[in-house]
Amino acid sequence: MNNKDAVKYFYEVIVSEDMLDELPKYIAEECVQRTGEKETFIGIKGMKRHLLALKKTYPDYTVKIVRQYVAEDYVISEFVMRGTHKGEFIGITPTNKVLEIAGVNIDKLIDGKIVEHGGAANTFETFFEHQLIKPV
């Protein structure tokens, strides 16, 4: 499986179907999260904590890859996450509404595993559309 296909499978199957026992096959132990110029070690355990936290907020969420681009060892994936808002998130009480959040992930792979993960999800637009946040 090439890097592009591995990333797509990771998000659409492993993450969407909550197959977290499979993380070591897709995430490197030395995996870091990149936010701008900041780099934070997360490893397999940190990725698992992140995905479990998402499942607390959106227990049925799934990820659909809309399109992907490859540049050297990097796979850039535009995605749509869809799930029912059943858990508190940043102080927003659960609405039981199905929300769709678009975003972009940037993953670097070495030897078929994600060694660097970053990106952004457009929660603002979705929360505003569903009146979960209001203009100042």
Side-chain angles (χ1 to χ4, degrees), residues 30-118:
E30 67 275 10
C31 184
V32 297
Q33 182 169 341
R34 182 172 293 280
T35 307
E37 294 180 352
K38 183 180 176 187
E39 188 176 279
T40 306
F41 171 78
I42 58 171
I44 297 168
K45 289 179 182 177
M47 181 66 80
K48 186 173 186 174
R49 278 192 303 273
H50 169 68
L51 295 172
L52 288 171
L54 280 172
K55 283 290 183 183
K56 282 183 181 178
T57 304
Y58 309 99
D60 60 347
Y61 87 88
T62 58
V63 179
K64 172 75 176 146
I65 301 297
V66 178
R67 59 186 150 194
Q68 292 178 295
Y69 304 94
V70 177
E72 299 172 15
D73 294 332
Y74 289 90
V75 178
I76 302 161
S77 304
E78 182 181 359
F79 67 87
V80 175
M81 186 281 294
R82 186 175 198 267
T84 308
H85 182 211
K86 294 207 173 255
E88 185 177 323
F89 180 70
I90 60 170
I92 298 172
T93 29
T95 63
N96 292 312
K97 292 181 179 183
V98 175
L99 302 180
E100 286 191 1
I101 298 171
V104 175
N105 282 332
I106 304 170
D107 295 298
K108 180 179 182 179
L109 286 81
I110 295 180
D111 297 327
K113 292 186 178 186
I114 297 171
V115 296
E116 182 181 299
H117 169 74

Side-chain angles (χ1 to χ4, degrees), residues 92 95 97 99 124-135:
I92 298 172
T95 63
K97 292 181 179 183
L99 302 180
F124 178 84
E125 186 173 314
T126 299
F127 289 174
F128 188 74
E129 174 186 332
H130 289 274
Q131 300 174 350
L132 303 177
I133 57 174
K134 298 181 182 349

Side-chain angles (χ1 to χ4, degrees), residues 11-34:
Y11 289 111
E12 291 189 345
V13 177
I14 302 303
V15 171
S16 294
E17 296 180 14
D18 205 21
M19 299 170 60
L20 301 186
D21 290 341
E22 299 288 314
L23 287 181
K25 294 180 183 176
Y26 298 90
I27 305 298
E29 185 56 54
E30 67 275 10
C31 184
V32 297
Q33 182 169 341
R34 182 172 293 280

